[in-house]
Amino acid sequence: MTLSKNGLIPITGKNILAGLGTAAIFAAALFMCWWKGIFLPDWVDWRSRNYLYEEAEVQLDNQHLKLMEEQQDGTLRKVYETPWDWNVQEALPFDINHDGTEELILLVWKHGSYGEHLPIWEQYNDIRLEQHIFIYQWDETRITKLRPVWMSSALGYEVTSITRGENNRLIVTDGNDESKVWQWEDFGLVLAGAAKETQVSFLAAGDNLIHTSLLWDAMDSYDYLYDHIREEVQRADLASLNQETVFVKDQGLISDYPRFGTPIEVGNAIVKAGFDIVTLANNHILDKELYGVDTTTSFYDEQEGMTYVGVNPPKSEEAVKFIDKNGIRIALLNYTYGTNGIPSPAEYPHIVERFRDEERMLQQIDYARARADAVIVYAHWGTEYSTDVDEEQQRITNLLLEHDVDVVIGTHPHVLQPVETLTGTDGHQMLVYYSLGNLISGQDRPECQTGGLAKFNIVKTPAGSVTIEDAELKEILSYR
């Protein structure tokens, strides 16, 4: 390049064209960055999610959503992805239109004030970058596997978050921290009013370990087993216990350690005491093999308002249980370290949920996390009679924290272990009761006589975020 005598670049037609070309390239690059959403506001919380939806895996990452379907050879094939110039802020799976199947609800930034189709009175879409709510449903007949159900026009205000509300309604929170509830009516969403704070009081008891020495002076009623905690249990919105022993109907099958069999009438006392949830994944669940599993689960299936978790009866794979209470949806999962060497029947390998099936467990937790306000994992783990948390408990705890579990409730050691709240790298907090000890038992060790009741509140803000508050451990004395 030749400079003029004064050191300046001479103005020529070629230099002008070069400058214009550079400016055009810069302007085009700037336009493409704007079109792709590079300059979207910094208050947007871009979510990352990975969970199962119908027959595909939802992958939301870097503002882009894909659906991947597993093939027969185990590989994943992409069956849907959002357009390159969409920026996906959130993706929620739930049955928003109450048709019995889950929809996929997206909060999307895209160009244009309208969705996929223009109103009949409009000829052109504009190019403004706007927020929209799009609702899709799984459709096996389509190449993309998704059918649009509702495509909103531009929302017209800043939406910081969407989340599932009571009765599968949608909570929409704007930039002013005001939350509104939208519900499905006829063919779309309509405003239903302002969202409110709700909460659920939760109580969890430890091992319900029915030794035959407890069954004294009883004919048809075992109500006395729970007299000492009845008021506490019935005061809670939801209450759970770990049922360590399986039910039997035949009096001749009643038995003690090492293979327990408990009169089914004890189940009536559990229900009457006010418990809503029983956990069944423990080391004694296969003591009476399939007979014990079937007798126990059949009993609870017949009890209105009772939920059991941790065991899948034959022909069932419903490992995650959901409870809706006071406008809050709670997911329950339950896993055990083992079953005292008794294997699951070959035809029902997942009849008991176990920690060793780690990939299955994490997939279930991710499934629950995408669909619930709070996720509670019941963990049957640890070293018997030890008040210390062992290495395997710590390893599993860290794994659960990584997957955003809210509360972990531990059983099995038959003694109390520590309680703590952990914070993950993403700021998520998880409350852990490592062991609640025994609720009732016939064990004579002094340390086994003291158990604990875990008590906490699950609080959901108007914006839909959930916190665990007022956590405590109330010690109880188990005596005969």
Side-chain angles (χ1 to χ4, degrees), residues 435-449:
S435 173
L436 297 180
N438 290 330
L439 172 60
I440 54 174
S441 80
Q443 293 181 322
D444 293 324
R445 291 171 177 254
E447 64 270 30
C448 296
Q449 305 301 309

Side-chain angles (χ1 to χ4, degrees), residues 76-94:
L76 294 176
R77 180 176 68 91
K78 183 173 63 182
V79 294
Y80 174 80
E81 67 176 329
T82 49
W84 72 274
D85 58 347
W86 285 18
N87 300 88
V88 184
Q89 186 173 338
E90 180 62 285
L92 301 175
F94 63 88

Side-chain angles (χ1 to χ4, degrees), residues 246-249 264 290-300:
V246 294
F247 291 150
V248 296
K249 293 181 179 179
I264 198 168
L290 276 180
Y291 169 81
V293 173
D294 184 60
T295 303
T296 305
T297 56
S298 295
F299 171 82
Y300 287 117

Side-chain angles (χ1 to χ4, degrees), residues 16-311:
I16 292 173
L17 288 175
L20 290 174
T22 301
I25 293 172
F26 178 76
L30 198 64
F31 177 81
M32 289 302 293
C33 287
W34 170 77
W35 190 269
K36 183 62 180 75
I38 299 299
F39 305 118
L40 284 170
D42 58 9
W43 54 259
V44 180
D45 181 17
W46 301 108
R47 303 303 300 271
S48 294
R49 292 189 180 276
N50 191 295
Y51 53 83
L52 293 180
Y53 170 65
E54 294 292 341
E55 300 171 20
E57 180 181 312
V58 173
Q59 298 177 356
L60 174 58
D61 188 46
N62 197 26
Q63 305 167 36
H64 191 70
L65 183 138
K66 293 188 294 186
L67 256 64
M68 308 295 290
E69 191 174 35
E70 186 173 357
Q71 306 301 292
Q72 289 185 348
D73 61 2
T75 60
L76 294 176
R77 180 176 68 91
K78 183 173 63 182
V79 294
Y80 174 80
E81 67 176 329
T82 49
W84 72 274
D85 58 347
W86 285 18
N87 300 88
V88 184
Q89 186 173 338
E90 180 62 285
L92 301 175
F94 63 88
D95 183 13
I96 194 168
N97 62 0
H98 304 280
D99 65 348
T101 60
E102 286 187 331
E103 284 73 46
L104 202 58
I105 299 95
L106 306 186
L107 177 58
V108 173
W109 292 80
K110 69 171 287 289
H111 292 279
S113 294
Y114 303 103
E116 185 175 345
H117 303 288
L118 297 178
I120 57 173
W121 58 87
E122 294 287 345
Q123 289 186 319
Y124 305 102
N125 214 343
D126 57 62
I127 62 170
R128 289 180 297 180
L129 194 53
E130 306 265 21
Q131 281 177 303
H132 301 253
I133 292 175
F134 293 161
I135 302 175
Y136 294 91
Q137 193 170 64
W138 181 265
D139 188 341
E140 186 64 42
T141 65
R142 290 175 174 254
I143 296 177
T144 62
K145 304 297 185 182
L146 288 182
R147 175 174 58 85
V149 175
W150 196 69
M151 311 283 281
S152 81
S153 299
L155 298 177
Y157 56 94
E158 297 176 346
V159 174
T160 56
S161 69
I162 61 171
T163 189
R164 192 194 66 85
E166 185 177 6
N167 296 325
N168 282 358
R169 297 187 292 181
L170 188 69
I171 298 176
V172 178
T173 303
D174 63 24
N176 296 319
D177 244 8
E178 294 182 359
S179 300
K180 300 285 195 305
V181 176
W182 292 79
Q183 67 184 26
W184 187 273
E185 284 190 9
D186 298 326
F187 302 104
L189 295 176
V190 298
L191 181 63
K196 300 177 181 178
E197 181 177 283
T198 57
Q199 75 172 36
V200 171
S201 59
F202 205 101
L203 178 145
D207 294 325
N208 193 50
L209 189 58
I210 308 298
H211 290 88
T212 53
S213 58
L214 297 173
L215 305 178
W216 55 270
D217 197 27
M219 298 295 290
D220 297 319
S221 173
Y222 295 96
D223 293 350
Y224 62 86
L225 291 173
Y226 308 103
D227 283 343
H228 61 305
I229 59 165
R230 189 178 309 278
E231 289 185 10
E232 290 272 10
V233 171
Q234 295 183 358
R235 225 177 353 247
D237 290 323
L238 292 174
S240 70
L241 62 73
N242 172 52
Q243 187 178 319
E244 188 85 7
T245 58
V246 294
F247 291 150
V248 296
K249 293 181 179 179
D250 185 345
Q251 297 288 309
L253 294 176
I254 296 173
S255 57
D256 209 298
Y257 179 85
R259 290 200 175 190
F260 288 95
T262 296
I264 198 168
E265 289 79 13
V266 171
N268 297 325
I270 292 172
V271 174
K272 190 173 179 180
F275 288 101
D276 311 282
I277 303 158
V278 292
T279 61
L280 298 178
N282 60 64
N283 55 305
H284 287 289
I285 186 62
L286 295 180
D287 280 2
K288 299 296 182 183
E289 301 178 347
L290 276 180
Y291 169 81
V293 173
D294 184 60
T295 303
T296 305
T297 56
S298 295
F299 171 82
Y300 287 117
D301 283 334
E302 295 171 0
Q303 310 304 314
E304 185 177 355
M306 288 290 291
T307 299
Y308 61 85
V309 64
V311 165

